[in-house]
Amino acid sequence: MKTVISSRPFNSGFAGALKLNGRFVVWALVLITVKNAPAQVSLSGTSYQQNFNNLGSGLPAGWTVRTNASATRLGTAATFNAAKVSWGTATGQFANYASTFDDGTNVLGTATTAEQGGITNRCPGIRQTLTFGNPGAAFVLQVQNTVGFSNLVFSVDLNLLSVQGYSTTWTIDYAVTNGPPTNFTVLGTYPDPGTFGSNTVSYALDAVADNQSQNLWLRVIALSAATGSGSRDTFGIDNFVLNYEGPAAATITLQPTDRTNLPRSTATFVTAASGTPPLYYQWYKGSVALTDGDAISGATGDTLTINPVFHADAGDYQVIVTNVSNSATSKVAVLTVNGFIMT
């Protein structure tokens, strides 16, 4: 016989006690919550573009807004208000603001709250206050990797939406690493222009960002506190474009050639290829993939060696070279073995 004495929730689950065969047994059910890793942008083609016009559904995949960020700290993910907010709000927050350009027309800085609400061109922005994002506010893009891509260049519109007495200098930087980065490379700074409107800035990333298997992090961050008097600005970003060169296709630049060998001699087939590294080689005899061992060496390299050669080794040989872009197959090279084995 069992009798439940009590049951109550606690922070991570439920706990209780029951009477089983005259003895009390304490039990607990622990609930484990797994938080999904933040979404990342996966590159394809030759560019990634984000206009932020669908902010009513939240930030796009790969984007976060952060507070308490610094030159050595990514920052803490902050709440983003997807509701439309007026530029003139006095509440410190990251939110969905009207951009400074709409349907081919410059928006006036005097637009009313109602007029701003009707603007379809949106941008994520921040109203800084003394205690919110001042400093440490950051807009962050996380790219999954840059494998196969090189010569990365990006541009972004920086929007001053509400001109106030305090001015913030924004820094644009990046890092290449898995996990939260602690070391950023500064690309440039953007001092407060003091006037309503948008300015486009463009930056080329160093070659260290090319063809990387790790995350690429791009930030627009307030590294230092605003200076001046009065209130702080409302600031936003828009029309982010990341351009890059795609992977160069694997191409056979040196074809293996036919060979005629005597028994017990050494046969060597040589190839060369170009394309975005890494390049992977696989030699075949007919349709059978070769592996190193016995007389075979270099089965997955640019030079295949058979030593010693016997009549059974005669046949068709070719190599397939593969990279992130494609696979290239060489011409067939014929190995002919003539003569007799001398004892």
Side-chain angles (χ1 to χ4, degrees), residues 277-329:
L279 297 171
Y280 301 98
Y281 296 81
Q282 178 61 62
W283 287 91
Y284 291 82
K285 180 185 180 186
S287 61
V288 178
L290 298 176
T291 58
D292 288 348
D294 296 328
I296 301 293
S297 61
T300 56
D302 58 8
T303 301
L304 174 68
T305 300
I306 307 171
N307 180 33
V309 165
F310 294 100
H311 287 93
D313 296 314
D316 297 339
Y317 290 82
Q318 63 185 155
V319 66
I320 296 178
V321 182
T322 303
N323 72 352
V324 69
S325 177
N326 70 311
S327 294
T329 303

Side-chain angles (χ1 to χ4, degrees), residues 249-304:
T251 303
I252 305 292
T253 57
L254 177 64
Q255 298 287 349
T257 57
D258 296 347
R259 294 191 55 88
T260 299
N261 279 67
L262 293 171
R264 295 189 183 277
S265 64
T266 300
T268 302
F269 293 104
V270 179
T271 190
S274 64
T276 297
L279 297 171
Y280 301 98
Y281 296 81
Q282 178 61 62
W283 287 91
Y284 291 82
K285 180 185 180 186
S287 61
V288 178
L290 298 176
T291 58
D292 288 348
D294 296 328
I296 301 293
S297 61
T300 56
D302 58 8
T303 301
L304 174 68

Side-chain angles (χ1 to χ4, degrees), residues 111-119:
T112 65
T113 297
E115 289 171 336
Q116 293 173 40
I119 293 172

Side-chain angles (χ1 to χ4, degrees), residues 61-83:
W63 288 89
T64 56
V65 289
R66 295 177 179 268
T67 54
N68 301 317
S70 70
T72 58
R73 189 172 186 271
L74 181 63
T76 304
T79 299
F80 179 79
N81 182 3

Side-chain angles (χ1 to χ4, degrees), residues 123-142:
C123 71
I126 181 173
R127 168 61 159 90
Q128 289 179 293
T129 65
L130 175 63
T131 58
F132 186 79
N134 177 53
F139 303 86
V140 180
L141 171 64
Q142 182 182 5

Side-chain angles (χ1 to χ4, degrees), residues 191-215:
D192 186 342
T195 56
F196 173 87
S198 176
N199 288 288
T200 303
V201 296
S202 298
Y203 298 98
L205 276 62
D206 299 327
V208 70
D210 294 349
N211 196 34
Q212 291 289 334
S213 61
Q214 302 183 79
N215 292 167

